[in-house]
Amino acid sequence: MASNDDQAGSTTTTTGGTNGLRGLNYYAGAAGDASAFGTSGTAITNGIHTIATVGDTVAGLDRDTLTNMANALPGQYWSLPGTAWMMHPTTIKNLRELVTSTSGIPYFLEVGDEDGGAVVYMFGFPVVPNPYMQVAGAGNYPVYLAAWNRFVTIADNEEMSIKRLEQYAPGFVTLFAEKRTVSTIRNVFAGVRLYG
């Protein structure tokens, strides 16, 4: 869902496919861009949506950047049950180690709640670890905040590959079937991402 590259053939990369399998990281959007639906037309660049993107203002994650991300998500999505942060486990670890510059106190304190600890929730939104997300760094999209049930939809792709193994066991025919799904942005205004 994050790293599928629809411009790379499936024989050259494990996350590629030329049949519209576009991951979130391959949608348009640079630091400071606002959400916008793609244009209609027949060119390959038509129809590609732009995701609202907040630029990382310091070398590494900081609390102000995360606050800017939360503020960039329109208020009507804040109270929806599917609204959550999504980031790589290493990014979560880095946030847990984030401290104030003056006194060295962690921004996200472990207070012994039932929720499991620091950075399980940020600004009231749950944090979902996703090992397929990019780690924070220059040119990466390490953090997404979205109302996921509105932002992205995972749809069925009509293509299906069925292969038959000629002889497996006497009296039996063995079939191998492969079906791919596609993820697509449903509502560009329901999500925001960080550009590191």
Side-chain angles (χ1 to χ4, degrees):
M1 184 179 78
S3 59
N4 279 334
D5 181 3
D6 67 341
Q7 301 301 311
S10 55
T11 58
T12 59
T13 175
T14 58
T15 59
T18 55
N19 294 319
L21 297 172
R22 180 180 301 274
L24 291 174
N25 293 343
Y26 290 94
Y27 280 89
D33 283 354
S35 299
F37 284 105
T39 59
S40 61
T42 57
I44 194 167
T45 56
N46 291 335
I48 298 176
H49 306 313
T50 301
I51 299 175
T53 306
V54 173
D56 191 358
T57 57
V58 297
L61 288 174
D62 68 327
R63 192 173 193 281
D64 291 342
T65 302
L66 296 172
T67 303
N68 292 339
M69 281 189 69
N71 288 336
L73 184 68
Q76 65 262 32
Y77 302 108
W78 287 10
S79 60
L80 296 178
T83 302
W85 300 89
M86 190 176 294
M87 59 188 77
H88 193 278
T90 302
T91 305
I92 295 172
K93 174 193 157 295
N94 293 341
L95 287 173
R96 287 178 173 162
E97 296 172 347
L98 189 63
V99 295
T100 61
S101 59
T102 55
S103 58
I105 297 172
Y107 277 113
F108 300 100
L109 294 173
E110 170 61 65
V111 294
D113 284 350
E114 296 175 352
D115 63 10
V119 193
V120 174
Y121 286 88
M122 285 190 331
F123 308 127
F125 307 119
V127 176
V128 178
N130 183 342
Y132 297 101
M133 298 286 292
Q134 294 176 328
V135 179
N140 289 346
Y141 299 106
V143 180
Y144 282 82
L145 174 62
W148 291 99
N149 54 348
R150 304 280 178 104
F151 184 52
V152 173
T153 226
I154 298 174
D156 193 14
N157 191 344
E158 292 184 13
E159 286 189 28
M160 186 170 185
S161 170
I162 300 176
K163 297 176 183 171
R164 180 180 63 150
L165 184 60
E166 287 294 330
Q167 187 173 3
Y168 181 72
F172 293 92
V173 174
T174 302
L175 299 175
F176 293 98
E178 181 182 52
K179 180 98 171 135
R180 298 191 84 172
T181 58
V182 61
S183 62
T184 186
I185 291 183
R186 182 176 167 200
N187 180 353
V188 294
F189 300 101
V192 63
R193 66 182 173 187
L194 174 66
Y195 181 74

